[in-house]
Amino acid sequence: LVLVLPAVSLAMTAEEGWEHAKTVIDRIKAPTFPIDADRDITDHGAVGDGITDCTGAFKAAIALAHSSGGGRVVMPPDGVFLTGPIVLLSDVNLHIPKTSTIRFKQDTASYLPAVRTRWEGVELMNYSPLIYAYRQENIAITGGGTLDGNANATVWWDWKYGPQDAGRARLFQMATDNVPVHQRIFGDGHFIRPNFIEPYRCQNVLIEDVRIINSPMWVIHPTFCSNVWVRGVTVDSHGPNNDGCDPDSCKDVLIENSSFDTGDDCVAVKSGRGDDGRRVNIPSVNVIMRNCTMKDGHGGLVAGSEIAAGGRNL
């Protein structure tokens, strides 16, 4: 457990800071879900052969769990379930058995239409994250199985080395010019890679025990969220910009008992880039990490970059 007091204002002593950390940990709670309310994606046509497109099955099972008062969306063990983006809804736990894999499609057009997201600290409309939630509460990803983003040197990762440059410059100029977010439309032809797991403006988020590999961009990216618990996660992803976990303008975050073997920073606390970060002006507050293993990465625990709105009680 590491405590970093605010750099600008020393409002707390070290002792007070540790007491505050205990208070934050005590109030971070895992979301709960109804017992015996599992929704199996194979009941909606999913086949775990690594070939059949299960996108519609995931969508149907999640919608049913959500509309029925919540529960787990599950799949049989020993399967590989191929899918496009998964969009979580309130009161749904996506549960992957230890011997199963959710593998994401390499067809980049599958991640359209564009959704509201944040990329390198700037809001835009872009490819959907592989697992996304927008303004939801009580959501989870659990179960011990593998999430395979299926990115490699010729899918997603190659966009880093030249193709993304024009789109990146255009996005940052739009932010400087204060173009409304809904008009910052990217996606096809702009080569801005999506992040892997991105709950966006959500509350009560749990990501537990899963193994995550081959991410297109940042791996776990809670954005504008509160009460976020990342525990027992293994991130093994060495693509470009493969940060392990980047809480971005979030409040009350606990990252623990996890392992990070990454192509960029293991954990990086963020709060927006430049003009756009100051426009939104939501700092990251009360972010605690303990008992984690940093196997490889550019930095272990990092504040920034993209931290224009600041951070407190890290």
Side-chain angles (χ1 to χ4, degrees), residues 183-229:
Q183 295 179 14
R184 304 175 192 177
I185 301 172
F186 286 75
D188 186 38
H190 297 285
F191 305 104
I192 301 297
R193 291 166 289 149
N195 299 311
F196 201 139
I197 300 172
E198 189 172 272
Y200 205 88
R201 296 192 180 275
C202 294
Q203 298 180 29
N204 307 332
V205 178
L206 174 66
I207 304 171
E208 181 180 42
D209 291 340
V210 289
R211 175 174 176 256
I212 310 169
I213 61 175
N214 302 325
S215 176
M217 181 75 178
W218 296 349
V219 180
I220 303 172
H221 184 220
T223 307
F224 309 125
C225 292
S226 61
N227 193 57
V228 177
W229 201 344

Side-chain angles (χ1 to χ4, degrees), residues 76-128:
D78 304 318
V80 177
F81 297 90
L82 185 70
T83 184
I86 294 174
V87 180
L88 293 178
L89 300 175
S90 293
D91 302 311
V92 173
N93 176 2
L94 177 63
H95 186 82
I96 308 104
K98 189 173 183 179
T99 57
S100 282
T101 296
I102 296 176
R103 180 170 294 152
F104 288 85
K105 296 167 65 176
Q106 293 184 324
D107 174 20
T108 60
S110 297
Y111 301 88
L112 296 171
V115 300
R116 187 164 181 145
T117 181
R118 200 182 214 185
W119 193 85
E120 289 194 355
V122 177
E123 287 195 286
L124 75 163
M125 307 299 295
N126 192 39
Y127 291 106
S128 173

Side-chain angles (χ1 to χ4, degrees), residues 41-274:
I41 61 171
T42 61
D43 292 338
H44 300 273
V47 179
D49 58 4
I51 300 171
T52 302
D53 186 349
C54 303
T55 307
F58 277 105
K59 183 176 181 180
I62 288 168
L64 180 59
H66 170 70
S67 65
S68 302
R72 299 193 313 175
V73 168
V74 301
M75 61 217 66
D78 304 318
V80 177
F81 297 90
L82 185 70
T83 184
I86 294 174
V87 180
L88 293 178
L89 300 175
S90 293
D91 302 311
V92 173
N93 176 2
L94 177 63
H95 186 82
I96 308 104
K98 189 173 183 179
T99 57
S100 282
T101 296
I102 296 176
R103 180 170 294 152
F104 288 85
K105 296 167 65 176
Q106 293 184 324
D107 174 20
T108 60
S110 297
Y111 301 88
L112 296 171
V115 300
R116 187 164 181 145
T117 181
R118 200 182 214 185
W119 193 85
E120 289 194 355
V122 177
E123 287 195 286
L124 75 163
M125 307 299 295
N126 192 39
Y127 291 106
S128 173
L130 278 55
I131 301 179
Y132 181 63
Y134 184 75
R135 293 189 181 275
Q136 304 298 306
E137 60 183 26
N138 303 323
I139 57 175
I141 304 167
T142 66
T146 297
L147 297 168
D148 181 1
N150 214 7
N152 60 37
T154 60
V155 179
W156 296 122
W157 290 349
D158 56 321
W159 291 4
K160 162 73 172 179
Y161 305 106
Q164 77 173 20
D165 292 351
R168 185 174 187 266
R170 176 174 177 260
L171 172 62
F172 292 170
Q173 187 60 53
M174 284 181 158
T176 298
D177 295 341
N178 201 25
V179 174
V181 174
H182 71 274
Q183 295 179 14
R184 304 175 192 177
I185 301 172
F186 286 75
D188 186 38
H190 297 285
F191 305 104
I192 301 297
R193 291 166 289 149
N195 299 311
F196 201 139
I197 300 172
E198 189 172 272
Y200 205 88
R201 296 192 180 275
C202 294
Q203 298 180 29
N204 307 332
V205 178
L206 174 66
I207 304 171
E208 181 180 42
D209 291 340
V210 289
R211 175 174 176 256
I212 310 169
I213 61 175
N214 302 325
S215 176
M217 181 75 178
W218 296 349
V219 180
I220 303 172
H221 184 220
T223 307
F224 309 125
C225 292
S226 61
N227 193 57
V228 177
W229 201 344
V230 177
R231 64 186 183 192
V233 167
T234 299
V235 175
D236 186 359
S237 193
H238 275 266
N241 308 110
N242 276 189
D243 291 18
C245 183
D246 290 359
D248 197 346
S249 295
C250 290
K251 180 180 179 181
D252 292 356
V253 179
L254 178 58
I255 305 165
E256 64 175 352
N257 304 324
S258 295
S259 174
F260 298 95
D261 192 348
T262 66
D264 209 305
D265 295 328
C266 295
V267 175
V269 180
K270 299 179 180 289
S271 61
R273 175 188 288 268

